Amino acid sequence: MRCWFELFDRPGAFPALHLALLLLWLFATRRPDLAEPLTAIIRGAFDADLAFHESSGLAGGADEIVLLHLAVGGMITELLTLPDALGSDDPEAVLALLVDRLVYPSG
């Protein structure tokens, strides 16, 4: 689970980088010439993350990793833009709960 916390911590160290990427995503909705290479970059990064996850023998499969990427990306955006909107004082506890529920669901 530590690798998820490291991914979660990285944007906090460089918030302008994450926000710039968010702006690129927004611009790409109106500019197909930007959407195509940006999609390839994001997909390549996801494929590398998935390959790392699988080669490390971590729990969960591709579906769980997609869900975690979407959820963690949303959490990061929330914390960088409106950190008080959801009222969570402990984002790491929320992330731990998210990983536990998605990757290790109770039967």
Side-chain angles (χ1 to χ4, degrees), residues 1-14:
M1 187 182 322
R2 184 65 220 154
C3 61
W4 283 105
F5 287 107
E6 291 169 6
L7 288 173
F8 188 69
D9 290 340
R10 210 174 296 156
F14 304 100

Side-chain angles (χ1 to χ4, degrees), residues 1 5 7 25 39 44 46 59 70 84 87 89 99 101 104:
M1 187 182 322
F5 287 107
L7 288 173
W25 286 346
T39 297
F46 174 78
L70 293 171
D84 298 326
D89 293 335
V99 171
R101 296 266 175 96
Y104 307 106

Side-chain angles (χ1 to χ4, degrees), residues 4 46 49-50 53-54 57-69 102-105:
W4 283 105
F46 174 78
D49 289 346
L50 182 58
H53 186 87
E54 290 173 344
L58 298 170
D63 291 342
E64 288 80 11
I65 301 309
V66 168
L67 292 172
L68 284 168
H69 264 269
L102 287 175
V103 178
Y104 307 106

Side-chain angles (χ1 to χ4, degrees), residues 5 8 75-76 79 83 88-98:
F5 287 107
F8 188 69
M75 286 180 64
I76 291 167
L79 288 170
S88 175
D89 293 335
D90 191 357
E92 287 200 4
V94 173
L95 180 60
L97 180 62
L98 182 66

Side-chain angles (χ1 to χ4, degrees), residues 11-19 75-83:
F14 304 100
L17 182 62
H18 182 80
L19 294 173
M75 286 180 64
I76 291 167
T77 300
E78 188 85 27
L79 288 170
L80 293 178
T81 58
L82 300 170

